[in-house]
Amino acid sequence: MELPLILSGPILRRVEPGLVSVWVALSKACSVQLSLFEGLAKAGDTPKFSRDADKVDAVAIGDKLHIAVVMMKLTGGHGLKAGQAYSS
């Protein structure tokens, strides 16, 4: 039986006006990048926040379990606003 790529998540670990941390469990080794959208994202939408520097490689915990935690620091006065919905 083939497992899906995403086993669990993405799950928010921490959210501050200038920082977002997201956890995900995967069935295969891969790189994970976090992109944040204002409101509910649809296919083809441009992310509000996304940077290649925020890519991380998942860490192998077992043959079919890899964990990644991606942190994105929001700088330059472009932080998250209270009461605004975001999606990833």
Side-chain angles (χ1 to χ4, degrees):
M1 177 176 110
E2 177 116 8
L3 294 172
L5 177 61
I6 299 175
L7 300 174
S8 182
I11 297 173
L12 286 171
R13 291 191 67 234
R14 184 176 187 138
V15 178
E16 298 176 7
L19 176 77
V20 177
S21 176
V22 176
W23 175 95
V24 64
L26 307 159
S27 62
K28 298 177 185 175
C30 63
S31 293
V32 178
Q33 179 180 356
L34 177 61
S35 296
L36 295 178
F37 300 84
E38 278 188 337
L40 184 60
K42 297 181 285 290
D45 284 354
T46 301
K48 173 127 178 118
F49 305 101
S50 182
R51 293 185 295 274
D52 284 338
D54 295 318
K55 260 186 200 175
V56 298
D57 292 328
V59 176
I61 305 299
D63 289 340
K64 303 231 181 214
L65 179 59
H66 303 263
I67 304 294
V69 176
V70 184
M71 290 180 41
M72 180 186 286
K73 290 186 181 180
L74 309 171
T75 59
H78 299 289
L80 302 178
K81 298 176 186 143
Q84 170 69 45
Y86 295 91
S87 56
S88 63

